[in-house]
Amino acid sequence: MNCFVYILANRTNSTIFTGVTSDLARRVWEHKNHVDSGSFTARYNIEKLVYYEWTSDITAAIQREKVIKGWTMERKNILISKFNPNWVDLYDRISQ
């Protein structure tokens, strides 16, 4: 099974969201298109995929999401910057 932990950011990279999904391309598309108009990501226009990691274990993915959510913003920024130094939107990379 494919499981992904992912981080989205708004345009200015000042607000981020961490999530977990089994279908990364679909889930990011849902965020970008504000499928849930009342969600945190829709309210703050958090649509840019800046980080993701894969595992085959859903339990591990959920645990990793919880760990990352518990980190300070500084630590999350370091994780993202090591993976994606320019904080570019990675959606095109994963949606092809």
Side-chain angles (χ1 to χ4, degrees), residues 5 18 51 53 59-69 71 75 79:
V5 178
T18 305
Y51 176 85
E53 57 187 63
T59 303
I62 292 167
Q63 181 59 36
R64 178 70 169 154
E65 176 197 27
K66 289 177 183 180
V67 167
I68 292 171
K69 283 184 172 186
W71 288 353
R75 188 164 179 192
L79 176 71

Side-chain angles (χ1 to χ4, degrees), residues 17-96:
F17 171 84
T18 305
V20 65
T21 185
S22 61
D23 186 338
L24 185 59
R26 177 192 51 80
R27 188 67 184 116
V28 174
W29 182 92
E30 290 172 352
H31 287 295
K32 287 181 171 294
N33 290 279
H34 305 278
V35 171
D36 180 358
S37 61
S39 70
F40 177 80
T41 57
R43 279 182 292 167
Y44 294 98
N45 292 312
I46 301 171
E47 305 174 350
K48 184 171 57 168
L49 178 65
V50 293
Y51 176 85
Y52 62 92
E53 57 187 63
W54 174 89
T55 181
S56 61
D57 181 357
I58 188 62
T59 303
I62 292 167
Q63 181 59 36
R64 178 70 169 154
E65 176 197 27
K66 289 177 183 180
V67 167
I68 292 171
K69 283 184 172 186
W71 288 353
T72 64
M73 185 66 168
E74 179 183 3
R75 188 164 179 192
K76 293 173 192 175
N77 288 349
I78 291 168
L79 176 71
I80 295 164
S81 294
K82 285 182 179 178
F83 183 81
N84 182 0
N86 296 317
W87 288 56
V88 297
D89 191 347
L90 303 171
Y91 180 69
D92 288 342
R93 180 189 296 180
I94 58 103
S95 65
Q96 298 175 0

